[in-house]
Amino acid sequence: MKTFSKSAGAETVREVVCALCGGTDLKRWRGSLFVKCAGCGLVFQNPQPVEDELVERYDEEYFRYEAANEAQFHGLMELGLRDVGFDDVERGLPAGRSFLDIGCATGMLLSTMKRRGWREQGVEVCRPAAEYGARERGVRIFVGTLDRARFPDRSFDVVHCSHVIEHLTDPRAFVREVARVLAPGGSFIVTTPNVDGFQSRLFRSQWRSLIPDHMYLFSRKTLRRLLEESGFRILRGKTWGGLAVGTAPKPIKAAADRLAKRLNFGDVMIYRCERRSERAVPAGAR
Ligand SMILES: [Zn+2]
């Protein structure tokens, strides 16, 4: 079963070039809304809705989906954080450390971090979700996109975004903005579906992440390139998820999940990277 998505609506769409290499040699991919760049392998929706209209998809219905699944998503985020050594990051930072969760939905992870002594800040385009989080959990959430928040330079020790980067129209600008608001040596932790994983290859056009709400589908290679070109050094990376719930009997799913993690061809990937110091960023990447 595919992930929840709004259907491609009546938005204004535009043709785009490859966000990673600028390539224009694009081949239709799996007969879908997506194309694959012949130059670098990036898979993305083309044409794409424009951002101002795209954010309108994150409405009351989206909030209900997030609210209904928040405990499950929170559990997965905690497992992912453990996988990339977040506990070590936490131990290494003094009191007053700050955690930015972009696409924080109903603010459940922010609430956990606040309890653990972090100064929490969320960013969320879905207004009902953000307002719910602020009201019910007492966490700080900016309603809108990251660039609109205009956080000062070097504001955060950790920036986290789970299942967000694939929804954006300009992931390169986003990652650069993350680098700007992150303290030097700070950690950026990013989770997104893995287009090169076993499930994607098995289910082809029926892959659960091949949905209209996803603008970009990264592989380990294309995501690493984007991060490295934007001023980050990758410290840890993991993939997980062999078969989705309901696609196979439990013992087979359990075995597939273990194998996917061990062989690193899981359905979802997470990277923890560190913001390089100013001097180490290549001129062309800034
Ligand atoms: Zn490309």
Side-chain angles (χ1 to χ4, degrees):
M1 200 169 84
K2 292 202 178 189
T3 302
F4 174 82
S5 178
K6 309 292 271 190
S7 53
E11 295 123 340
T12 312
V13 295
R14 62 187 180 108
E15 294 280 337
V16 295
V17 300
C18 176
L20 199 53
C21 74
T24 54
D25 184 3
L26 311 172
K27 301 273 188 303
R28 193 53 49 190
W29 187 74
R30 298 183 183 172
S32 69
L33 297 166
F34 293 79
V35 294
K36 184 171 188 173
C37 173
C40 72
L42 184 66
V43 175
F44 54 99
Q45 227 183 100
N46 200 30
Q48 280 185 12
V50 296
E51 185 189 67
D52 286 353
E53 296 178 27
L54 186 61
V55 296
E56 299 297 319
R57 292 189 191 180
Y58 302 98
D59 58 7
E60 188 68 35
E61 186 189 7
Y62 203 87
F63 162 55
R64 285 196 297 272
Y65 164 74
E66 289 290 344
N69 293 286
E70 62 174 13
Q72 187 204 347
F73 294 162
H74 181 265
L76 289 169
M77 287 189 286
E78 286 215 308
L79 287 174
L81 286 170
R82 197 178 311 158
D83 269 352
V84 293
F86 178 73
D87 293 350
D88 297 339
V89 173
E90 192 169 56
R91 269 194 295 274
L93 288 166
R97 61 207 174 187
S98 52
F99 186 98
L100 173 64
D101 192 17
I102 306 168
C104 64
T106 55
M108 201 168 182
L109 186 65
L110 287 174
S111 174
T112 298
M113 292 303 162
K114 189 178 180 180
R115 274 201 306 278
R116 286 164 68 158
W118 292 80
R119 187 160 53 82
E120 89 295 351
Q121 174 69 56
V123 168
E124 177 52 58
V125 293
C126 178
R127 178 173 291 278
E131 288 177 348
Y132 172 87
R135 189 178 65 240
E136 299 296 322
R137 301 205 156 99
V139 290
R140 268 179 294 246
I141 302 177
F142 172 82
V143 183
T145 55
L146 174 64
D147 57 320
R148 299 266 165 90
R150 299 189 184 279
F151 294 120
D153 291 358
R154 310 167 174 214
S155 309
F156 301 101
D157 296 304
V158 170
V159 176
H160 173 263
C161 70
S162 178
H163 294 279
V164 170
I165 196 168
E166 67 273 16
H167 292 253
L168 308 175
T169 55
D170 193 343
R172 189 181 282 280
F174 173 78
V175 174
R176 278 188 189 158
E177 180 65 0
V178 169
R180 187 186 69 76
V181 302
L182 197 58
S187 297
F188 178 34
I189 300 168
V190 52
T191 304
T192 190
N194 175 17
V195 76
D196 250 355
F198 174 62
Q199 284 191 46
S200 168
R201 290 163 186 264
L202 179 68
F203 294 113
R204 313 290 300 167
S205 67
Q206 294 310 305
W207 181 39
R208 62 177 174 164
S209 287
L210 215 163
I211 53 172
D213 282 350
H214 290 168
M215 300 297 122
Y216 292 86
L217 296 168
F218 293 95
S219 63
R220 282 179 290 155
K221 185 177 159 199
T222 55
L223 183 62
R224 291 179 76 102
R225 177 170 169 182
L226 177 67
L227 293 168
E228 285 170 352
E229 286 181 356
S230 308
F232 289 98
R233 191 163 67 90
I234 290 162
L235 300 176
R236 296 277 281 275
K238 280 270 170 69
T239 70
W240 72 80
L243 285 168
V245 176
T247 59
K250 268 190 179 166
I252 293 176
K253 172 177 159 49
D257 286 349
R258 276 196 302 276
L259 205 59
K261 200 162 197 172
R262 183 153 354 120
L263 301 179
N264 208 17
F265 66 2
D267 193 48
V268 174
M269 57 187 164
I270 184 166
Y271 281 100
R272 171 162 71 89
C273 40
E274 178 183 70
R275 187 188 158 190
R276 290 197 304 255
S277 63
E278 303 289 324
R279 217 169 295 159
V281 181
R286 295 187 57 82

